[in-house]
Amino acid sequence: LRNPTLRIGTSTPGCDPSGDYTWAFFDKMDALERGLGQQLRERAIPLVGGRDTVRIPQGELASAWVLRQGLADLFIGYAHYAKTLRTLPNVRYVAIPAEYNIQCEYQLALLEASKDALALVEFMLGNGGQEFLIAAGFIPLTDE
């Protein structure tokens, strides 16, 4: 990331949560090394998730497609795509170390107590739902 020649592809902050998380990551980098986060923001290219960003073909994973098209040299995105990215040729996945990564907290709210809504909540909070979410790259549910 410190290499000033690398073009950093991102989602669009303010339009796509992944872009907001990426900018928060850049803030963490500023705390690590003064000015680094600002340098990263200046080199970042919001390519997806915005009103006027590139259109990703259906069936394509945005980060891999952006890289294959030569629109960026690296792309910062969601960790739950790691499993898929590792299977793609000519794409290298690198995890952000935990101490620098952003922890996103997702909420679950029940707006109606219909049978279907209650079944979904029960599944998501139960063992099957948690196994599914963990397999997709999410952190396990805690009591915190």
Side-chain angles (χ1 to χ4, degrees):
L1 287 174
R2 287 185 177 96
N3 181 338
T5 66
L6 291 178
R7 297 168 299 149
I8 304 169
T10 71
S11 291
T12 305
C15 294
D16 183 338
S18 180
D20 298 331
Y21 303 147
T22 300
W23 258 241
F25 167 67
F26 292 162
D27 290 341
K28 274 193 161 188
M29 294 298 92
D30 255 339
L32 174 69
E33 182 179 313
R34 186 181 166 118
L36 179 58
Q38 182 59 36
Q39 292 170 23
L40 296 172
R41 275 187 287 281
E42 289 170 5
R43 290 191 357 248
I45 308 165
L47 292 168
V48 299
R51 291 168 194 85
D52 299 316
T53 54
V54 297
R55 185 172 168 89
I56 307 300
Q58 189 165 349
E60 290 280 354
L61 190 58
S63 56
W65 185 85
V66 161
L67 295 172
R68 284 196 308 269
Q69 299 306 308
L71 300 174
D73 300 310
L74 62 97
F75 191 93
I76 298 174
Y78 289 117
H80 68 270
Y81 293 122
K83 184 185 274 186
T84 303
L85 287 171
R86 286 185 181 116
T87 67
L88 299 177
N90 303 320
V91 175
R92 182 173 171 223
Y93 168 80
V94 177
I96 296 171
E99 63 268 25
Y100 307 121
N101 209 343
I102 300 301
Q103 289 283 325
C104 306
E105 187 173 303
Y106 295 93
Q107 305 294 317
L108 174 64
L110 184 62
L111 300 178
E112 71 173 66
S114 71
K115 179 182 168 189
D116 290 340
L118 289 169
L120 177 60
V121 169
E122 186 176 319
F123 172 75
M124 290 179 72
L125 298 178
N127 289 338
Q130 288 299 297
E131 288 173 10
F132 178 82
L133 291 169
I134 291 166
F138 291 91
I139 297 170
L141 181 66
T142 65
D143 291 333
E144 290 180 13

